[in-house]
Amino acid sequence: MAQTAVADSDTGPSLTELARSHGLTKAGRLPRLPEYTRQLWSYRHFIAAFANAKVSASLGSTKLGVVWQLLTPLINAGVYYLIFGVLINTKQNVDNFIAYLCAGVFIFGFTQSVVQAGSQSITANIAMIRALHFPRASLPIAVSLVEVRNMIASMIVLVAIVLLTGEPVTFQWLLLIPALALQTIFNTGLALFVSRLISKVTDIRQLIPYILRIWMYGSAVLYPVTFFAERIDGWQLALVESNPMLIYIELVRHALMENVELATSAPLLWLQAAIWTVLVGFGGYVYFWRGEKGYGRG
Amino acid sequence: MADQRQPTVIADNANIVYRIYGSVAPGANSPLASLKRIMTGKKSAAVREVHAVKGVSFVAYKGEAIGLIGTNGSGKSTLLRAIAGLLPVERGGGIYAAGQPSLLGVNAALMNDLSGERNVELGCLAMGMSPAEVKEQAPGIIEFSGINDRGDFSSLPMKTYSSGMAARLRFSIAAAKKHDVLLIDEALATGDAKFRKRSEQRVRDLRKEAGTVFLVSHSEQSIRDTCERSIWLESGVIRADGPTDAVLKEYETYVNK
């Protein structure tokens, strides 16, 4: 360490060696995964504040404000009631079709809005990324948190619908909480995955509406899950029934409603849901972390 | 100055390249041309490279304030972003820094729909402060920015602020934290004379707290007042590096040519 700085001349030790001997760290170095996770944890207050800020910024220009969080799912359910309950008056061989439908719409909507907002979380905040230092994963995680708030509001509406349509309250309702917890982790992983992918390949953003639509049709949202078993079999059916969204929707219907026909047995559904949660949650996180230093490039 | 000086920022042959998508000559992005590119597997002509900083090397020491000067588009702001680790440096070179340098620019966007108070909170949290620290510092930050001098502006959304007020608030937020290395991008140029004086004093205080300050500015006066060393960048290359007076003299003769 007893070394006078001789960096002005070319004859001294190389600048990189000088930097190392003084313990300087390379700008833009990727931290290891545990270190990154620790950093992220120390920014938890920022994540919460950013999520709150996003909600108040988006509702700030409306007169009703937070009431919209409850109104949006109510209107959504109303539209579906009007079309399927009144106009078409379909039952599709399901007792209590309205509750069945709304469970599907709300649970799918939860993931759908996370994907939509997550796809913008890097590109829309590029100025902030270029100006301030924080673990970038804070942004997609904040998006996921915002949608958890919206989801809780829509679950209140859903529970009201389920009760009004005559379902009994049972201990099975408690299963709603682990099901939604698994889906939240799944969604966060998905938001992380999508935000990095779209910051790299912006073209994919054009495809997202179509991907989401075909995903919705494959998730038995608007029709009963038995629809698939009646039409396809073998590997095709296995493929459709391993769809994570179909699994999460099934779990919620199973938790809240009596007499619903499931694609497979409930324990198997729980196992599949857990596998998807770990796979997408962890995979999305690692994928996002590996791109950490490139997000400022834009 | 043969005493032991502690280097805080070292750039060793730093090259920074921007890759810009979708800005090409007319015709090159037509459907037919795109199809041809996909079919032939050629690298997209839609990517253009801009070599903004070319092989820059320097050493900055503890307690120094360094002015970065150069004409528009010479790579000053890009270099600051790379020191902050916000832009990657190309292979074969690197920028090293003590601790985490923080960039403070006038275009550091906060959330315009939110009030000044909430932006202070958000900005401080984003710099890694704890909620307790934020609570303690927030009144001082708003006080320093002077946005409440003309009534209660801190509770109004930032989009209602004048550009000078917004810049002052951003500067106050960033200057609230002790930084090992503080990078200032034109921040002192905005704001009135009163605020400029106050912010120059704050920069001097920050330097006393053992940090290093980089200042990008087109105002020769603020460079002269705060920095004793200057680096002149032109087209991404260092043209001069030395005492401010000498470098500024050289720069003036170049500009007035």
Side-chain angles (χ1 to χ4, degrees):
Chain A
M1 281 296 287
Q3 174 192 28
T4 37
V6 281
D8 302 329
S9 67
D10 291 327
T11 50
S14 92
L15 292 178
T16 306
E17 279 167 36
L18 181 71
R20 204 158 292 146
S21 70
H22 283 275
L24 304 190
T25 50
K26 193 163 184 168
R29 182 184 57 94
L30 181 69
R32 290 169 170 285
L33 196 56
E35 190 190 335
Y36 186 65
T37 310
R38 257 197 307 280
Q39 281 178 14
L40 201 56
W41 176 247
S42 68
Y43 272 84
R44 61 192 181 281
H45 301 292
F46 168 65
I47 298 174
F50 187 72
N52 278 331
K54 271 177 81 82
V55 173
S56 36
S58 69
L59 296 175
S61 56
T62 58
K63 285 217 171 62
L64 290 177
V66 208
V67 182
W68 275 111
Q69 282 191 320
L70 216 57
L71 271 183
T72 315
L74 263 175
I75 295 172
N76 207 353
V79 168
Y80 283 102
Y81 176 74
L82 185 71
I83 294 171
F84 290 94
V86 179
L87 290 179
I88 306 181
N89 198 13
T90 170
K91 291 233 92 181
Q92 309 242 29
N93 304 322
V94 181
D95 313 333
N96 197 358
F97 186 66
I98 292 301
Y100 190 87
L101 182 77
C102 285
V105 169
F106 289 167
I107 292 299
F108 190 82
F110 179 28
T111 296
Q112 185 177 25
S113 31
V114 169
V115 171
Q116 278 165 346
S119 71
Q120 311 225 14
S121 60
I122 295 295
T123 42
N125 293 305
I126 192 78
M128 197 168 172
I129 288 174
R130 285 185 180 160
L132 290 168
H133 263 283
F134 54 89
R136 307 316 187 199
S138 312
L139 298 174
I141 290 175
V143 160
S144 179
L145 274 185
V146 170
E147 295 307 329
V148 167
R149 276 176 67 151
N150 291 336
M151 177 271 284
I152 290 172
S154 60
M155 282 305 122
I156 293 170
V157 173
L158 180 65
V159 165
I161 291 171
V162 167
L163 284 176
L164 284 177
T165 50
E167 297 284 341
V169 181
T170 61
F171 274 116
Q172 231 177 21
W173 279 40
L174 291 176
L175 288 175
L176 189 63
I177 291 160
L180 291 173
L182 288 181
Q183 198 196 351
T184 302
I185 298 169
F186 174 85
N187 284 351
T188 309
L190 207 58
L192 288 161
F193 176 78
V194 172
S195 55
R196 176 175 178 197
L197 190 68
I198 287 184
S199 77
K200 289 246 147 89
V201 197
T202 35
D203 297 45
I204 294 180
R205 196 207 308 266
Q206 309 295 326
L207 293 177
I208 284 209
Y210 307 105
I211 295 171
L212 283 173
R213 208 169 306 160
I214 194 133
W215 200 3
M216 184 171 93
Y217 290 129
S219 304
V221 173
L222 302 178
Y223 34 75
V225 71
T226 47
F227 176 89
F228 293 115
E230 288 158 12
R231 282 165 181 79
I232 49 177
D233 53 14
W235 66 270
Q236 290 169 320
L237 185 65
L239 189 73
V240 168
E241 288 187 345
S242 65
N243 168 6
M245 283 322 295
L246 183 138
I247 293 164
Y248 292 124
I249 292 172
E250 288 271 87
L251 285 179
V252 169
R253 285 173 180 160
H254 173 65
L256 291 184
M257 299 166 67
E258 302 277 289
N259 310 322
V260 274
E261 226 175 313
L262 297 177
T264 38
S265 69
L268 191 61
L269 280 176
W270 279 104
L271 181 69
Q272 286 174 312
I275 292 172
W276 272 116
T277 301
V278 171
L279 209 66
V280 173
F282 188 69
Y285 182 56
V286 170
Y287 177 72
F288 187 92
W289 158 72
R290 291 190 54 85
E292 174 76 5
K293 289 302 166 188
Y295 297 122
R297 197 197 280 269
Chain B
M1 285 249 279
D3 56 337
Q4 273 194 30
R5 295 193 296 168
Q6 174 79 30
T8 48
V9 177
I10 296 180
D12 185 6
N13 189 28
N15 285 285
I16 301 155
V17 178
Y18 282 103
R19 292 189 179 76
I20 299 145
Y21 296 89
S23 61
V24 283
N29 222 4
S30 70
L32 204 65
S34 305
L35 188 68
K36 202 167 135 196
R37 223 165 33 232
I38 292 165
M39 301 289 276
T40 52
K42 234 171 61 185
K43 209 183 165 199
S44 173
V47 183
R48 264 174 55 186
E49 295 196 342
V50 177
H51 205 153
V53 172
K54 298 165 189 155
V56 163
S57 300
F58 63 84
V59 181
Y61 297 95
K62 199 170 178 175
E64 266 186 325
I66 301 176
L68 278 176
I69 51 174
T71 47
N72 284 337
S74 55
K76 307 178 297 282
S77 302
T78 306
L79 184 60
L80 279 198
R81 284 191 182 144
I83 295 173
L86 301 165
L87 276 174
V89 176
E90 297 294 303
R91 256 170 234 280
I95 292 180
Y96 305 86
Q100 178 59 71
S102 327
L103 179 67
L104 155 62
V106 286
N107 50 2
L110 296 167
M111 291 183 101
N112 277 328
D113 287 326
L114 296 182
S115 68
E117 275 161 357
R118 289 195 68 183
N119 270 303
V120 168
E121 187 197 342
L122 204 61
C124 289
L125 288 172
M127 288 192 304
M129 286 191 195
S130 72
E133 281 174 293
V134 175
K135 206 169 240 168
E136 193 191 305
Q137 301 246 22
I141 292 170
I142 289 175
E143 162 90 44
F144 182 81
S145 72
I147 53 170
N148 276 354
D149 290 354
R150 259 183 218 88
D152 179 24
F153 269 92
S154 62
S155 56
L156 289 179
M158 260 188 94
K159 60 186 170 194
T160 63
Y161 292 11
S162 74
S163 55
M165 282 168 76
R168 272 153 49 180
L169 185 61
R170 290 195 196 101
F171 176 82
S172 312
I173 292 172
K177 204 181 165 228
K178 251 202 221 171
H179 302 280
D180 293 335
V181 178
L182 183 64
L183 314 165
I184 305 175
D185 195 350
E186 306 263 22
L188 303 185
T190 46
D192 44 36
K194 209 167 107 199
F195 184 73
R196 199 145 63 224
K197 221 181 220 163
R198 235 184 319 173
S199 57
E200 275 162 8
Q201 183 55 44
R202 177 61 69 92
V203 169
R204 273 191 285 273
D205 292 346
L206 284 170
R207 266 177 63 193
K208 251 180 253 148
E209 286 167 18
T212 302
V213 176
F214 282 83
L215 173 65
V216 166
S217 179
H218 286 290
S219 152
E220 282 176 18
Q221 197 51 48
S222 65
I223 298 247
R224 232 185 271 275
D225 287 351
T226 38
C227 312
E228 68 278 355
R229 175 183 167 189
S230 290
I231 295 177
W232 170 22
L233 269 182
E234 204 57 61
S235 315
V237 182
I238 294 187
R239 288 280 286 261
D241 176 1
T244 297
D245 284 333
V247 175
L248 274 181
K249 203 173 276 171
E250 244 183 286
Y251 178 62
E252 270 161 34
T253 46
Y254 172 83
V255 175
N256 295 328
K257 205 164 48 183

